[in-house]
């Protein structure tokens, strides 16, 4: 999981810092890769992803490569134990659960008669998630 990687990065950075070894992690959001293209093929889902991304675009592989390159340069010599989010601002925009981005809550296009049915389903799922959160 991402949380485990973040903790492992910090732990390892503390363990190895005295040997002059820096340990950092890079956590990208959606990047134009074959795997992401499959998920983003759904125009409704892609629009929702873009709405939650302040930069307003899907990342490119070079965006991640440049971030990793920076972490390898002398300019980052005092950076260790950090997780660099390469996400166009997604995490600072709010990373909380939203049913409109969770694929489990999507109704396949061939099942839904129109967008109103999808909207009704999303509202129902939102009510369920609010109830679960309130109970916890």
């Amino acid at each position: 999981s991402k949380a485990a990687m973040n903790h492992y990065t910090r732990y390892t950075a503390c363990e190895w810092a005295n040997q002059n070894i820096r340990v950092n992690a890079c956590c990208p959001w959606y990047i134009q890769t074959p795997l992401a293209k499959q998920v983003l093929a759904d125009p409704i889902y892609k629009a929702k992803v873009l709405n939650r991304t302040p930069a307003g675009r899907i990342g490119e592989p070079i965006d991640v490569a440049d971030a990793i390159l920076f972490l390898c340069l002398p300019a980052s010599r005092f950076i260790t134990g950090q997780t660099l989010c390469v996400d166009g601002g997604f995490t600072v925009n709010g990373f909380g659960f939203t049913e409109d981005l969770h694929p489990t809550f999507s109704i396949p296009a061939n099942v839904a008669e129109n967008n109103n049915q999808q909207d009704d389903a999303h509202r129902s799922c939102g009510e369920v998630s609010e109830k679960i959160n309130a109970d916890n």
Side-chain angles (χ1 to χ4, degrees):
S1 79
K2 288 182 183 180
M5 286 303 302
N6 294 343
H7 290 291
Y8 181 74
T9 299
R10 291 193 304 248
Y11 171 81
T12 309
C14 290
E15 286 290 311
W16 293 352
N18 64 355
Q19 297 174 40
N20 235 6
I21 298 172
R22 295 177 291 124
V23 180
N24 295 291
C26 182
C27 292
W29 176 226
Y30 281 99
I31 302 297
Q32 292 286 0
T33 63
L35 182 61
K37 286 179 184 178
Q38 292 174 16
V39 176
L40 297 171
D42 176 356
I44 295 171
Y45 184 76
K46 182 176 181 178
K48 290 176 181 179
V49 168
L50 291 172
N51 270 346
R52 295 288 307 277
T53 308
R57 68 178 179 86
I58 303 301
E60 297 291 333
I62 192 70
D63 297 325
V64 178
D66 285 347
I68 293 169
L69 176 62
F70 166 72
L71 291 173
C72 295
L73 293 173
S76 68
R77 67 185 158 271
F78 203 57
I79 298 173
T80 193
Q82 300 302 307
T83 300
L84 181 57
C85 296
V86 182
D87 63 5
F90 174 76
T91 52
V92 296
N93 193 37
F95 194 71
F97 172 81
T98 59
E99 66 277 0
D100 63 341
L101 276 178
H102 199 289
T104 305
F105 292 108
S106 296
I107 297 173
N110 61 344
V111 174
E113 291 180 18
N114 58 44
N115 284 341
N116 290 335
Q117 285 181 331
Q118 282 188 323
D119 291 341
D120 291 342
H122 288 302
R123 271 193 293 280
S124 298
C125 293
E127 292 165 7
V128 169
S129 76
E130 287 172 13
K131 172 77 172 120
I132 291 170
N133 290 335
D135 291 345
N136 292 330

